[in-house]
Amino acid sequence: MTDKLKIASGHIELKSVSKFYGEGENYKEVIKDCSLEITPGVLSVMIGPSGCGKSTLIRLIAGFEKPNSGTITIDGRPVEGPGKDRLVIFQESALFPWMTTEDNILYGPRAIGQDNSKNRDLANFLIDKVGLNQFKKKFPNQLSGGMQRRCELARALINQPEVMVLDEPFRGLDEMTKELMWEYYANLYEENKATNFFVTTDIDEAIFLADRLIIMTNIPTRVAAVIDVDIPRPRRLSNIFELDQANAIKMKALKILHEEAMKSFRSGSKAAADFIDAYSKRVSS
Ligand code: ADP
Ligand code: MG
């Protein structure tokens, strides 16, 4: 695929990024002094508690919003707004309901004035990769949820972005479909090796996919820990959690996430803090 999909890579760097909303009693600090690097050719997966500020961070990287302080650069260029170099896939389906699978996938190149014939080979290649050969001429409402997501992956990849950002793209799918999606997505990633930044709250998904796991603190969020996941690819779902290495990473990550969740629970109310103190004493005695 490397000769079919030539994807230049983007190196994303965040330095001391902070973001807040509102003022006075509506003031809410969402990201605080967050520094991180997302390197090309490495599948970086960010995991953090729900509501910690992950999507906010993505909106900043995408250039939809600006940080209040700190800098975000891609290959050294400051992010000033949205750009063709970055492609963001959100959980919500964005397929055009009046277009077939094939036309949806060809949409991006067509929108910038390219002839379909020029991209048909690449489209067919991607359609095959995401297992939609039999569904080329079908419309989104004739596809299952998982097929729609696969169609979206192909639709994004045909644009050959430097950076692909995926914000919980498989949330809401049933477990079996989700697992299948991981395999399709990992397979596409193994072939294109663009800069991929994948955001999730699902620890199994994170470990199955990641080369590098970025664990976030609770809100206001910043990086709590970075763990390299040196498990060889291609990985197999059927056996990855039989590996001690995968389980050790899972335990370590869960421990950090649990501590973060406890901090937020504790700061929720005095009753919650008292409960945790009493509980911790009971557990340790
Ligand atoms: P996550 O994606 O990790 O679940 P989000 O980034 O969506 O978290 O949201 C983090 C917090 O930021 C939430 O508490 C949300 O209320 C707050 N937030 C996000 N956008 C805004 C906004 N435009 N105005 C005020 N608060 C916001
Ligand atoms: Mg989110």
Side-chain angles (χ1 to χ4, degrees):
M1 175 146 146
T2 28
D3 56 332
K4 284 214 189 286
L5 269 186
K6 284 211 170 52
I7 295 179
S9 292
H11 182 132
I12 308 172
E13 201 169 1
L14 279 74
K15 281 192 189 143
S16 302
V17 167
S18 296
K19 179 72 184 171
F20 58 81
Y21 294 103
E23 48 189 76
E25 61 181 27
N26 290 324
Y27 177 80
K28 183 154 196 178
E29 196 173 31
V30 180
I31 300 169
K32 186 173 189 166
D33 201 19
C34 176
S35 295
L36 73 95
E37 266 185 84
I38 299 158
T39 33
V42 171
L43 208 173
S44 299
V45 177
M46 172 175 279
I47 187 163
S50 269
C52 77
K54 301 180 296 300
S55 295
T56 303
L57 196 84
I58 284 182
R59 289 198 301 277
L60 300 181
I61 293 173
F64 300 150
E65 292 179 37
K66 287 193 164 38
N68 295 100
S69 60
T71 57
I72 303 177
T73 55
I74 298 184
D75 294 334
R77 307 180 306 268
V79 169
E80 312 246 320
K84 280 205 300 267
D85 55 343
R86 282 149 289 152
L87 223 145
V88 187
I89 299 186
F90 294 103
Q91 184 211 352
E92 301 75 28
S93 176
L95 297 174
F96 295 119
W98 60 88
M99 287 186 194
T100 61
T101 296
E102 195 175 28
D103 286 341
N104 261 297
I105 291 171
L106 282 163
Y107 173 78
R110 211 167 50 240
I112 56 166
Q114 288 183 6
D115 193 356
N116 275 357
S117 58
K118 206 175 141 209
N119 291 291
R120 205 167 291 280
D121 274 358
L122 182 53
N124 282 333
F125 175 79
L126 287 167
I127 287 168
D128 188 45
K129 275 281 163 197
V130 297
L132 291 177
N133 261 330
Q134 310 291 320
F135 298 87
K136 250 163 89 165
K137 304 283 179 203
K138 302 278 190 228
F139 293 90
N141 69 358
Q142 297 171 299
L143 306 178
S144 69
M147 288 176 191
Q148 291 180 17
R149 271 348 121 74
R150 264 139 60 194
C151 183
E152 276 178 61
L153 282 177
R155 195 168 92 127
L157 277 170
I158 202 168
N159 298 299
Q160 307 180 47
E162 281 182 36
V163 176
M164 277 246 299
V165 182
L166 303 101
D167 190 4
E168 300 193 52
F170 308 144
R171 193 175 67 181
L173 294 176
D174 63 81
E175 284 303 307
M176 257 148 52
T177 307
K178 206 155 70 169
E179 296 195 355
L180 202 68
M181 293 302 301
W182 301 346
E183 302 234 3
Y184 277 110
Y185 171 66
N187 184 264
L188 282 172
Y189 169 74
E190 277 153 31
E191 303 235 25
N192 75 57
K193 293 274 181 185
T195 299
N196 271 245
F197 182 40
F198 190 105
V199 174
T200 184
T201 52
D202 180 324
I203 187 68
D204 288 350
E205 177 168 276
I207 290 171
F208 180 78
L209 295 176
D211 292 320
R212 185 169 298 149
L213 193 59
I214 303 170
I215 305 176
M216 303 304 284
T217 69
N218 227 307
I219 193 167
T221 203
R222 57 182 171 72
V223 176
V226 176
I227 303 176
D228 282 326
V229 183
D230 293 322
I231 300 171
R233 296 179 187 274
R235 298 174 187 169
R236 285 288 147 255
L237 263 170
S238 50
N239 62 12
I240 187 169
F241 288 106
E242 287 170 11
L243 299 172
D244 290 343
Q245 193 188 2
N247 282 309
I249 295 170
K250 182 170 173 174
M251 287 307 128
K252 191 169 162 189
L254 282 177
K255 187 161 179 279
I256 298 167
L257 289 166
H258 184 250
E259 279 162 12
E260 287 305 319
M262 279 301 168
K263 271 188 219 161
S264 113
F265 188 45
R266 172 188 287 278
S267 64
S269 71
K270 176 152 186 338
D274 289 347
F275 171 79
I276 293 170
D277 287 341
Y279 178 78
S280 309
K281 261 189 218 131
R282 240 196 359 256
V283 170
S284 58
S285 63

